[in-house]
Amino acid sequence: MVVRGVLFDFSGTLFRIEPVRDWLATVLRERGIEVAPEDFERYVRQLSAAGALPGGPPPVRVPERLAGVMARRDLGAALHREAYTGLARQVALPDPGLYEALYDRHMLPDAWRPYPDAAEVLEGLRRAGIATGVVSNIGWDLRPVFRAHGLDALVDAYVLSYEHGMQKPAAGLFRTACSLIARDPADVVMVGDDRGADGGAAAVGCEVRFVDHLPVAGRPDGLRSLGLVPPRGGSADGSRSGV
């Protein structure tokens, strides 16, 4: 296959959200709320089990009253906020303002870390003339995260579910992404961590490759190992692409 374009998922693929422990500790500190160590540990366990941090551990169980909004959460900003603050409200936190503050925190660039090889791979693709896009199921604008971490200039297009009214694995989302990067789907690789959602790209003719959704420190070269970047001196025409 001659790779002329690469689409990436966001969370768990190019970036990883901070741990629940750091997420909660930061918000408590910023709001000047002190809690006993044993209470803090309990809140961390309960928020993790609830799946309250978008991009973090999935819910152990979704309450029936939230099932509908969770299924549609990536179709709109209000739905996304309602879903995740609803999950968080299962935990009796010491201040009612914490639920919204925690949600707001997860959208900040400081809450996200790029995987160690993300910049290297994106730079290599840009150098080779291979178009790139980000396709994400999300309820908010992730572009500031890329800008803050110096990666925005390496992305040609963003296709976000809440801006298009459809969620992966809908074929239309991948078709739109290929159109925006001006590449035939047959020449495009989709890279993601979710075999169900990201695997939907195969329906439009893209090849799909997967990485593991691991902590940043535990996946130093997951993107590099996919062999997407031609060696230096190679070109995007496939003559020395190695893919």
Side-chain angles (χ1 to χ4, degrees):
M1 176 187 184
V2 177
V3 179
R4 302 188 186 280
V6 181
L7 303 175
F8 293 93
D9 173 51
F10 168 56
S11 175
T13 300
L14 289 175
F15 283 82
R16 173 77 183 225
I17 191 66
E18 63 189 344
V20 173
R21 177 179 302 277
D22 296 349
W23 175 58
L24 176 60
T26 299
V27 173
L28 289 173
R29 183 175 64 252
E30 290 176 345
R31 294 180 67 86
I33 299 173
E34 295 185 8
V35 298
E38 60 271 23
D39 290 333
F40 178 79
E41 295 299 331
R42 175 164 50 83
Y43 296 145
V44 169
R45 290 194 304 271
Q46 292 175 339
L47 288 168
S48 298
L53 173 58
V60 171
R61 182 186 67 83
V62 175
E64 185 176 347
R65 61 184 175 79
L66 292 175
V69 72
M70 279 295 291
R72 298 178 294 116
R73 66 188 182 278
D74 294 316
L75 295 177
L79 287 168
H80 197 267
R81 180 179 289 270
E82 179 185 354
Y84 283 102
T85 56
L87 292 174
R89 285 190 170 94
Q90 297 176 93
V91 181
L93 296 175
D95 183 324
L98 284 170
Y99 303 106
E100 295 292 340
L102 286 167
Y103 183 84
D104 291 340
R105 164 71 190 172
H106 103 276
M107 295 186 289
L108 298 179
D110 284 351
W112 294 89
R113 295 288 179 271
Y115 280 94
D117 55 350
E120 174 190 335
V121 168
L122 289 171
E123 288 168 355
L125 293 171
R126 176 54 52 94
R127 188 170 57 246
I130 298 174
T132 60
V134 171
V135 186
S136 178
N137 279 351
I138 199 165
W140 49 276
D141 186 5
L142 52 73
R143 295 173 183 87
V145 176
F146 282 78
R147 286 197 292 270
H149 290 276
L151 299 181
D152 180 61
L154 302 174
V155 177
D156 295 304
Y158 296 91
V159 179
L160 311 182
S161 61
Y162 84 106
E163 293 180 339
H164 292 270
M166 64 182 88
Q167 301 175 144
K168 296 184 291 186
L173 213 56
F174 302 106
R175 192 174 293 113
T176 295
C178 290
S179 176
L180 288 176
I181 65 171
R183 296 292 187 271
D184 188 309
D187 300 326
V188 174
V189 173
M190 174 67 204
V191 178
D193 66 297
D194 187 321
R195 280 162 172 73
D198 300 314
V204 301
C206 297
E207 180 180 321
V208 186
R209 303 182 190 179
F210 296 102
V211 290
D212 294 323
H213 190 135
L214 295 172
V216 167
R219 209 193 76 195
D221 59 358
L223 295 166
R224 189 186 306 119
S225 68
L226 296 178
L228 297 166
V229 180
R232 286 184 179 273
S235 66
D237 67 3
S239 58
R240 292 178 59 191
S241 70
V243 294

